[in-house]
Amino acid sequence: MSAAALLSPSAPLPYSGAITDVAGIEVGHHTDPRRPTGSTVVIARDGAVAGVDVRGAAPGTRETDLLAPGNFVQQVHAILLAGGSAWGLAAADGVVRWLEERGVGLDVRFGRLPIVPGAVLFDLPMGDARIRPDAASGYAACDAASTAAPAEGNVGAGAGALVGKLFGVPHAMKGGIGTASVKVGGVTVGALIACNPLGDVVHPDTGELLAGARTDDGTALRDTRRSLLRGDVPRPLLAGTNTTIGVIATDAVLTKVQAQRLATVAHDGLARAINPVHTMSDGDTLFTLATGRVPLGEEAPGMTVLSVMAAEVAAQAVVRAVLAARAVTTAELAIPAARDWPGRRAAA
């Protein structure tokens, strides 16, 4: 089915799997009712081997150094994704408190210390920028966490996300958060992606433009890649005012080296679905969680197949993030979404 066929304003997206299909993973969102922003938490209560790869040049992250294969910590207990730019990293404090209250964390003799890496995206143009995710937001996201398929679109870390900002925020479209999963040989790989890129979102199989920068009159997609190649001049940009962040999870048994490699190759999925990607104004960051519920036996897929699976679900989750998104209007902006906007066909 083509992407256009899925863009009915009222119809739900067909189920495409979810990161919570991975055994040992829970997801919760908190969406701030005062403006489009929020927090999303991916919890692994029993701990998970983790990796990370930061490809964007302007990241906002927490606790990423400890995920390096040569460093001491072997497992993490949750990953935070949030809006609010660097201010939003405060939401991780609430995640840590929630987990500690439930006895989840690394035993450091004086208590159990939850290990919670995180990453944030820039959603400050959407409403009052003084309202950002904080510790209470992170705590509320944990309270909402479950093994059910998480909501997609304008929720949690995707609430204020936009796509296609290279020619100005007023010409952007609504981003969001999406999830997908695939299963091969008894092993599941899932993704949860908060999509807020500088570039456009394209269908990874067909190249169809789904959402992104609109023309000056707002009636069609301008196609950022082709616009730049023909010499159109982009608007001046602040570093870090974009960013796609997410989590790749699997129930396979992985080492820290393998987990880091899976995070690296998952960025291939972003590159298939976002153009341009990994720019100087994006802080693109992907984490990997391996819960180890399914040993990699003779019949289970090896790292090559797992890598293909990770890139696939990352690309699918990006597409679902924009197809699930809804239009948003603030005092300053009216931002359309792909599913309820008639000008989806790119300008000639």
Side-chain angles (χ1 to χ4, degrees), residues 30-287:
H30 171 257
T31 307
D32 198 307
R34 298 171 294 173
R35 84 164 182 94
T37 192
S39 302
T40 296
V41 63
V42 181
I43 299 175
R45 293 185 192 229
D46 295 332
V49 175
V52 67
D53 192 352
V54 181
R55 291 292 180 92
T61 57
R62 163 196 161 106
E63 299 275 42
T64 51
D65 284 352
L66 61 78
L67 302 182
N71 289 344
F72 170 71
V73 170
Q74 296 301 303
Q75 291 190 326
V76 307
H77 306 97
I79 302 290
L80 168 77
L81 308 175
S85 190
W87 285 294
L89 290 171
D93 293 340
V95 180
V96 170
R97 180 163 63 88
W98 190 92
L99 292 169
E100 182 185 15
E101 289 174 356
R102 287 152 183 81
V104 176
L106 174 67
D107 186 356
V108 294
R109 194 174 73 174
F110 301 100
R112 288 200 168 271
L113 176 62
I115 306 300
V116 183
V120 291
L121 55 78
F122 189 96
D123 59 6
L124 302 181
M126 300 297 290
D128 186 347
R130 295 170 297 179
I131 299 171
R132 285 96 59 159
D134 55 12
S137 177
Y139 194 97
C142 292
D143 268 345
S146 76
T147 58
E152 299 173 284
N154 301 19
V155 294
L162 303 174
V163 303
K165 289 161 279 183
L166 198 59
F167 296 94
V169 169
H171 298 119
M173 291 181 65
K174 189 67 184 73
I177 196 165
T179 189
S181 71
V182 294
K183 187 172 184 177
V184 176
V187 170
T188 301
V189 177
L192 183 72
I193 304 291
C195 183
N196 183 57
L198 181 68
D200 300 336
V201 172
V202 302
H203 195 286
D205 294 328
T206 67
E208 177 187 1
L209 273 170
L210 301 178
R214 291 173 291 135
T215 52
D216 290 343
D217 63 6
T219 62
L221 290 170
R222 65 183 298 154
D223 193 328
T224 294
R225 176 174 65 92
R226 288 188 169 87
S227 291
L228 294 176
L229 291 175
R230 65 176 172 251
D232 291 356
V233 179
R235 296 287 179 89
L237 298 166
L238 289 174
T241 52
N242 305 282
T243 292
T244 295
I245 53 179
V247 180
I248 309 298
T250 180
D251 46 21
V253 176
L254 299 182
T255 65
K256 284 185 75 175
V257 171
Q258 291 171 322
Q260 185 179 47
R261 174 52 51 181
L262 210 61
T264 296
V265 298
H267 277 279
D268 294 350
L270 298 191
R272 293 173 196 161
I274 300 170
N275 197 337
V277 71
H278 304 145
T279 75
M280 293 297 290
S281 294
D282 285 287
D284 302 326
T285 301
L286 292 181
F287 297 93

